[in-house]
Amino acid sequence: MENLFIRVDEREFGPVKLAELRELVKQGSFSKTDFIWSENLDEWIPAEQTIELQDLFDPANGNGHATYQKKIYAVASGKGGVGKTIFSSSLGIGLASMGQEVIMVDADFGGANLHTCMGMLEPELTFFDFYTLQKDSLSDVVIDTPVDNLRMISGACGTLGLANPKYTQKQRFIRELKKLQADSIILDLGAGSGFNTIDFFLLADEPIIIMTPEPTSIYEAFGFIKVCLLRELKRRLRGHADVVEILEREEINRPNKTVLTIGDLLADLQKINPEAHEIFEKTLDDFQPKLVLNMVKSRDEISEGQAIQAAALDLLCIKLDFLGYISYDPKVGEAVKAMKPFLLDSPKAKASQDLSALIRVNLLGKSGFREILERRRWRKHLESYSENYPEHNILDDAAICSVKCFYWGDCEYQDGGAPCRVRHLEPVLRQRITTV
Ligand SMILES: Nc1ncnc2c1ncn2[C@@H]1O[C@H](COP(=O)(O)OP(=O)(O)OP(=O)(O)O)[C@@H](O)[C@H]1O
Ligand SMILES: [Mg+2]
């Protein structure tokens, strides 16, 4: 069975090699209820009825998630509010809809909000339970989301001390993170260049930076990339104190500007310290963060992605991988207000289309017939999740406006009998106070 013809969602593809089909099964793009063309019977039959293919669906053979890919994505930015959480949740939903087991981790310890973005106002367990040792392992605080295959670890917003975990706590977190059982683990990081954020960014297999086309965002994204690179260089070159000293000077004096060009330093090192030169060069090769430009309002702005790519190559000697852009779209703000993941609230919106293509084609490298298969499956799953996603209306629990209200005399919204538009947050906030 080398050259197979397959049918998924009424569309036919082929010839497909057995190895390719194995890969599609692993990624969740082809399931046992999809069809294979049978030469003998001269008709399409469900793949599960094809004896030669049964091992493809056997969990013991590495399919059906007996083994996990365990790829860690980290989503960071220099400036805050540029779309990290929107991107992280969309990536999580997208990968889950492709059949992967996904865990999203709200690693923005100072301002956790991934759960609200998913419409989960009061997660029953949060990172706080792990942090305070009420739960031993990180896997104990993983909770389900309304999307199949997608689970999450919710952050614990507004809890003193959590924003900057100490070194030992960070090490415990990293150890536990690596033990999580999932194909993809997505870290939604906090803004800025704190050591914890940098370290989580550097441990990822796929480090992703989100920036917008505004000068401050570009400036801070470049600064973030630079401090991450310097930290990684220092870590790998810790046996060469003289080189570390030069790097530290650069780090302290000019966080966002580059006096020292990495190229010059590299050339000097080649002459005076070949061993350090080799480590340095290898680090530059290995450090290839990916870049996403969000909230793009015009075609001109797309060039900012290429501009920062060129600056990183010139000044830092690293290859930034510009994944593409996401349009500015007011539907994103509407989804945030409705507390529904954007990709599910408006699956057909321009920014959803951008996000979907960027993730599938540029991040995951799907092309050809695989891309067509993924696109169809992706769209189908998104539509069905969207229809069934729990709706939130915080006005549902709000107090009812009445003339008896203490504030009635001063209230400009007097609307007796309707949900109160001023005190509607109280039920939500009161719950939060009692659970923290
Ligand atoms: N493509 C877009 N089009 C329009 N608005 C957007 C877009 N992406 C994000 N936004 C808006 O930006 C806001 C911030 O997005 P998000 O919370 O994902 O940013 P963040 O980088 O995670 O912020 P923080 O640094 O505070 O964690 C959203 O509430 C949304 O209103
Ligand atoms: Mg965020």
Side-chain angles (χ1 to χ4, degrees):
M1 297 203 91
E2 245 327 286
N3 289 318
L4 302 153
F5 287 85
I6 61 176
R7 197 176 87 193
V8 180
D9 296 345
E10 303 304 321
R11 281 198 65 173
E12 294 162 18
F13 303 92
V16 179
K17 300 234 175 301
L18 191 57
E20 280 181 308
L21 190 61
R22 193 178 293 281
E23 195 58 23
L24 289 173
V25 172
K26 234 180 181 166
Q27 291 164 357
S29 298
F30 186 84
S31 71
K32 52 188 174 186
T33 52
D34 290 321
F35 292 85
I36 296 277
W37 178 254
S38 163
E39 294 287 346
N40 298 342
L41 301 174
D42 203 22
E43 65 176 346
W44 292 103
I45 55 167
E48 62 193 334
Q49 290 175 21
T50 315
I51 293 162
E52 295 94 321
L53 297 184
Q54 288 202 338
D55 77 307
L56 283 188
F57 306 105
D58 183 352
N61 292 330
N63 300 320
H65 294 123
T67 54
Y68 293 100
Q69 297 172 29
K70 288 202 179 181
K71 187 181 252 196
I72 300 182
Y73 295 83
V75 184
S77 70
K79 189 172 178 292
V82 295
K84 293 179 295 296
T85 302
I86 299 284
F87 184 84
S88 301
S89 55
S90 303
L91 179 60
I93 291 166
L95 293 173
S97 79
M98 291 163 84
Q100 289 200 17
E101 298 255 350
V102 184
I103 299 178
M104 300 186 296
V105 183
D106 195 340
D108 183 351
F109 298 121
N113 67 347
L114 186 60
H115 57 289
T116 32
C117 178
M118 294 297 293
M120 297 162 69
L121 279 184
E122 287 300 326
E124 65 270 31
L125 288 164
T126 72
F127 180 73
F128 185 72
D129 299 290
F130 171 74
Y131 181 81
T132 53
L133 302 175
Q134 286 169 52
K135 296 285 175 192
D136 294 336
S137 87
L138 209 48
S139 61
D140 292 337
V141 292
V142 175
I143 54 172
D144 288 334
T145 75
V147 175
D148 292 345
N149 300 332
L150 180 63
R151 292 177 297 152
M152 72 177 288
I153 295 175
S154 168
C157 190
T159 310
L160 203 64
L162 256 182
N164 290 304
K166 292 194 198 77
Y167 179 77
T168 46
Q169 289 160 331
K170 182 172 73 181
Q171 292 307 315
R172 178 172 165 246
F173 173 68
I174 293 176
R175 258 197 324 273
E176 287 290 317
L177 194 67
K178 292 183 173 164
K179 285 195 223 155
L180 288 177
Q181 297 294 311
D183 294 310
S184 291
I185 295 156
I186 302 167
L187 305 180
D188 177 16
L189 298 178
S193 306
F195 282 137
N196 293 323
T197 306
I198 294 173
D199 288 346
F200 297 146
F201 188 73
L202 289 172
L203 70 78
D205 305 295
E206 295 280 12
I208 301 169
I209 293 161
I210 313 288
M211 81 176 199
T212 65
E214 293 170 346
T216 43
S217 168
I218 299 170
Y219 187 70
E220 289 184 34
F222 185 79
F224 180 75
I225 294 165
K226 185 178 154 191
V227 289
C228 288
L229 174 64
L230 292 176
R231 187 154 168 93
E232 184 63 7
L233 281 167
K234 270 172 36 189
R235 199 175 64 80
R236 294 207 200 176
L237 285 158
R238 57 182 171 266
H240 300 269
D242 48 339
V243 187
V244 170
E245 200 190 316
I246 301 172
L247 294 169
E248 268 169 1
R249 270 205 305 272
E250 174 67 11
E251 198 173 46
I252 293 163
N253 295 342
R254 303 278 183 112
N256 288 312
K257 287 211 174 102
T258 295
V259 192
L260 158 121
T261 80
I262 298 278
D264 292 344
L265 184 56
L266 200 60
D268 288 350
L269 278 183
Q270 191 163 24
K271 286 180 235 142
I272 58 170
N273 189 341
E275 194 188 320
H277 175 266
E278 199 177 316
I279 300 172
F280 206 112
E281 207 172 40
K282 171 93 174 56
T283 311
L284 295 177
D285 268 351
D286 292 347
F287 187 72
Q288 293 195 5
K290 294 182 159 51
L291 180 74
V292 172
L293 191 62
N294 188 23
M295 303 198 221
V296 168
K297 290 185 177 143
S298 71
R299 290 206 70 77
D300 286 353
E301 290 182 341
I302 302 169
S303 62
E304 299 300 353
Q306 280 122 21
I308 193 170
Q309 206 179 16
L313 193 60
D314 276 358
L315 301 171
L316 305 177
C317 294
I318 56 160
K319 191 177 164 300
L320 265 187
D321 186 0
F322 178 36
L323 286 182
Y325 72 95
I326 303 160
S327 306
Y328 178 86
D329 191 333
K331 296 268 181 213
V332 181
E334 287 171 26
V336 172
K337 274 196 190 147
M339 287 184 283
K340 190 167 169 185
F342 166 62
L343 217 49
L344 301 183
D345 193 50
S346 293
K348 295 191 176 128
K350 177 74 178 88
S352 287
Q353 311 268 337
D354 294 341
L355 262 166
S356 305
L358 190 150
I359 292 171
R360 275 195 324 267
V361 181
N362 300 348
L363 181 61
L364 303 177
K366 306 283 175 198
S367 60
F369 80 90
R370 276 163 186 255
E371 160 53 9
I372 300 172
L373 278 184
E374 298 291 6
R375 202 185 322 152
R376 292 171 63 79
R377 193 168 284 267
W378 174 293
R379 208 180 311 142
K380 215 168 90 181
H381 277 119
L382 254 48
E383 276 165 17
S384 101
Y385 291 144
S386 176
E387 274 166 29
N388 302 313
Y389 210 83
E391 298 283 340
H392 274 283
N393 186 356
I394 48 177
L395 287 181
D396 285 349
D397 296 324
I400 299 299
C401 176
S402 151
V403 69
K404 291 185 194 153
C405 174
F406 178 78
Y407 299 102
W408 178 267
D410 299 319
C411 185
E412 58 180 291
Y413 296 105
Q414 291 172 357
D415 189 10
C420 175
R421 287 169 59 198
V422 177
R423 294 169 56 203
H424 62 273
L425 290 177
E426 279 176 22
V428 181
L429 298 177
R430 193 172 299 121
Q431 268 180 31
R432 178 157 298 160
I433 289 162
T434 52
T435 52
V436 168

